[in-house]
Amino acid sequence: NLFRLIRANKKFNWVIKLHRKDTIDNFKKALDVRDFSDYNIIDSNHLLCDKNIYDWFNDCNLLITGNSSTSLEAMLFSIPVITADFNNEYKQVDFIDLNTTYHAKNYKEFSAFFQDIVINKKLDFEIKKNAKEYSKTFYHIPETRPEEIIVKNLLKELEKN
């Protein structure tokens, strides 16, 4: 798990920013860990927690997540993403299926991806290319103004009635 990887790589400045619905107490219960003082964990109630995820990206070399939409935003900033799926539960997640992330199904893969990305600074060209292409299509800016699209769709609906 992530905490095992952190313990094995203490020389890095790890910051764990919890999803706004998560709390440290949830992790204590789930992992049977009482003391998280060795870990830099920030939850939504933390005084230093900046609500703007883009500010976090300034100092981010790698995003580790399950299948959060934050992955899409990280890709836009060319930040590599490891999707940890140790229970093999992420089915039909388009950005994972399109090979835009380093998709780890076990700790061995997870650790190897971390080693390649952070320590060896070796990125998989195909994943990097797929992530860039996907983020371009996901954040596509239409040539038509939004107001025009709305009016056009409303007129179509009115014609049906």
Side-chain angles (χ1 to χ4, degrees):
N1 68 32
L2 177 61
F3 296 102
R4 190 164 129 200
L5 188 67
I6 291 171
R7 283 192 299 274
N9 295 278
K10 287 189 174 196
K11 67 181 179 181
F12 296 100
N13 180 25
W14 292 87
V15 177
I16 301 169
K17 184 193 174 297
L18 300 181
H19 190 276
R20 63 184 164 271
K21 70 174 174 53
D22 287 328
T23 66
I24 293 173
D25 287 339
N26 291 347
F27 280 84
K28 285 180 182 176
K29 291 174 192 165
L31 301 171
D32 195 28
V33 175
R34 308 279 179 259
D35 182 16
F36 279 90
S37 60
D38 287 346
Y39 306 100
N40 191 5
I41 301 176
I42 309 286
D43 68 13
S44 299
N45 298 320
H46 194 284
L47 293 174
L48 299 177
C49 181
D50 188 338
K51 305 293 187 212
N52 185 349
I53 193 66
Y54 301 109
D55 291 338
W56 287 84
F57 287 158
N58 289 325
D59 297 310
C60 183
N61 298 317
L62 170 68
L63 178 76
I64 301 171
T65 185
N67 66 351
S68 171
S69 62
T70 304
S71 308
L72 310 175
E73 295 155 330
M75 287 177 214
L76 191 63
F77 285 82
S78 299
I79 297 170
V81 177
I82 295 177
T83 46
D85 186 12
F86 295 172
N87 295 323
N88 198 26
E89 59 190 352
Y90 304 136
K91 307 286 186 217
Q92 297 179 332
V93 178
D94 61 348
F95 64 88
I96 293 173
D97 294 342
L98 291 169
N99 195 32
T100 63
T101 69
Y102 297 80
H103 190 64
K105 293 187 178 177
N106 55 55
Y107 180 78
K108 186 177 178 181
E109 289 178 348
F110 183 70
S111 183
F113 289 148
F114 173 82
Q115 179 82 25
D116 282 349
I117 297 165
V118 177
I119 297 172
N120 299 335
K121 308 257 186 256
K122 182 179 126 192
L123 296 177
D124 181 301
F125 175 75
E126 198 65 29
I127 292 174
K128 187 176 179 177
K129 183 180 82 118
N130 293 345
K132 188 54 76 180
E133 287 304 311
Y134 182 82
S135 66
K136 283 180 188 175
T137 60
F138 188 81
Y139 290 101
H140 175 71
I141 300 171
E143 293 179 21
T144 308
R145 292 187 346 219
E147 302 85 26
E148 292 173 16
I149 294 170
I150 292 169
V151 169
K152 186 177 170 182
N153 288 331
L154 284 171
L155 288 172
K156 277 185 188 176
E157 287 300 314
L158 287 172
E159 288 175 5
K160 289 180 185 176
N161 297 328

